[in-house]
Amino acid sequence: MPSPVADHPTVDRTGDPDELVGATEAARVLGYSRPEKLPPTLIDRADVPRGKGTTRRWKRRTLWEFHDTVRAAGTTSIGGRTALDRAGIIAHTGAAVPTVANWLTNRADNGFPDPVHDRWYYQDEVDTWLADRAAASRAQLTEVDRTGDPDELVTKTQAAKILGYQDVSHLNNSTVWSNLQQLHDPADDQLLPAGGTRQFFRRSTVWQAADMRPARRGRRKDAEPRTVDRAGDADELVGATEAARVLGYRHPSGLTPAILERADVPLTASTTRKWKRRTLWTIADEAEQ
């Protein structure tokens, strides 16, 4: 995440916050080479404006606030609390640029926190809003029937019923269908008398696909580094579920498009993606560089 002072000199935060200082001292406090470098946005913030017989003066706290809220980018500290601007929210949450723009534009409707200062939002308030939004999204997901034998083979129509869909067409239009296809084991399929095959899924696979449903878009990036499992035969081919576990993801849905594209055995009509363990370890090593 960008540093709040990545592009600016170090600020002198010593002294009485309420002391009034002139342009020369203001420039020094903010790290400018001379008073002429003070930007118009700071000139407009003078606590004592220039008048007949008076020069501009600023309280030291005004200079510090200017640095923290105007010159900062990405993240800063306001009142001892971490605050984010638009770019900081994107970096912190992992949400797409249009998604964050929609959150901010429609605050009155979606309940996104109000800015604490101009373009800044408290990070803890953003996190709380996201958590509440995720809980509301999860509450709207269909209820999954988790009864029955986990190893029982079920058809697509039966899978739709297990997932709480009233019609199998609803499964076709859901993200869980792509999850099912990713987890599907062709060995579970059955040959039809007239030729061809019919897909079957284990109940446990249907439940796993349901658990992979995203609660919301723009999920937070992992708060802590993932632990990579480097045990096992380096040349062993593993499926998406094991690949995710090896790389430290909670679900196969965490595998990025870049990881999917590097499968040693690509996805086809008759095969699922598979990776050698050594490939997964290489991907993990590259991510740490």
Side-chain angles (χ1 to χ4, degrees), residues 54-278:
T54 62
T55 58
R56 292 187 185 90
R57 292 182 178 277
W58 295 262
K59 291 181 178 180
R60 290 184 183 273
R61 73 166 72 251
T62 300
L63 301 176
W64 301 335
E65 182 182 271
F66 174 80
H67 176 78
D68 291 338
T69 61
V70 177
R71 294 206 299 184
T75 182
T76 190
S77 178
I78 299 177
R81 295 166 64 185
T82 300
L84 309 170
D85 63 8
R86 182 180 301 228
I89 294 171
I90 292 170
H92 179 65
T93 65
V97 173
T99 298
V100 174
N102 180 66
W103 291 347
L104 301 184
T105 301
N106 298 296
R107 288 200 316 271
D109 297 323
N110 61 31
F112 193 86
D114 290 330
V116 61
H117 187 288
D118 191 22
R119 59 192 171 97
W120 295 98
Y121 303 81
Y122 281 135
Q123 178 179 305
D124 55 1
E125 293 183 357
V126 172
D127 289 341
T128 298
W129 180 79
L130 288 173
D132 291 344
R133 184 181 177 89
S137 296
R138 284 192 294 269
Q140 294 175 0
L141 295 175
T142 57
E143 185 175 352
V144 178
D145 178 4
R146 298 183 183 271
T147 62
D149 182 356
D151 291 324
E152 179 187 359
L153 295 176
V154 299
T155 64
K156 180 179 180 180
T157 299
Q158 292 171 316
K161 184 177 180 181
I162 292 171
L163 292 165
Y165 296 116
Q166 295 182 352
D167 189 277
V168 69
S169 63
H170 297 167
L171 174 59
N172 293 334
N173 299 323
S174 71
T175 56
V176 75
W177 177 239
S178 61
N179 297 339
L180 265 177
Q181 291 299 303
Q182 182 178 343
L183 299 172
H184 171 247
D185 185 351
D188 293 331
D189 294 345
Q190 296 182 4
L191 293 175
L192 298 174
T197 60
R198 187 178 189 182
Q199 281 190 332
F200 278 81
F201 310 89
R202 296 182 186 274
R203 281 185 180 269
S204 58
T205 301
V206 177
W207 299 337
Q208 184 179 357
D211 292 338
M212 291 164 58
R213 293 180 294 182
R216 58 178 172 84
R217 295 178 183 268
R219 289 171 291 176
R220 279 192 58 183
K221 292 184 176 181
D222 294 340
E224 298 180 356
R226 295 183 299 273
T227 300
V228 178
D229 181 358
R230 298 181 182 272
D233 181 356
D235 291 319
E236 179 187 2
L237 287 167
V238 300
T241 300
E242 176 64 3
R245 189 196 66 77
V246 168
L247 292 175
Y249 292 103
R250 294 179 59 186
H251 297 294
S253 59
L255 298 176
T256 65
I259 297 175
L260 298 180
E261 291 173 1
R262 294 180 65 173
D264 296 289
V265 177
L267 179 66
T268 67
S270 59
T271 62
T272 58
R273 292 186 183 91
K274 291 184 181 295
W275 295 259
K276 291 182 179 180
R277 291 185 184 273
R278 73 166 71 250

Side-chain angles (χ1 to χ4, degrees), residues 10-16 19-36 38 42 55-61 63-64 71:
T10 302
V11 175
D12 181 358
R13 296 182 184 271
T14 61
D16 180 358
E19 179 188 1
L20 287 167
V21 300
T24 300
E25 176 64 3
R28 188 198 67 78
V29 168
L30 292 175
Y32 292 108
S33 59
R34 57 184 186 275
E36 292 77 15
L38 295 176
L42 178 62
T55 58
R56 292 187 185 90
R57 292 182 178 277
W58 295 262
K59 291 181 178 180
R60 290 184 183 273
R61 73 166 72 251
L63 301 176
W64 301 335
R71 294 206 299 184

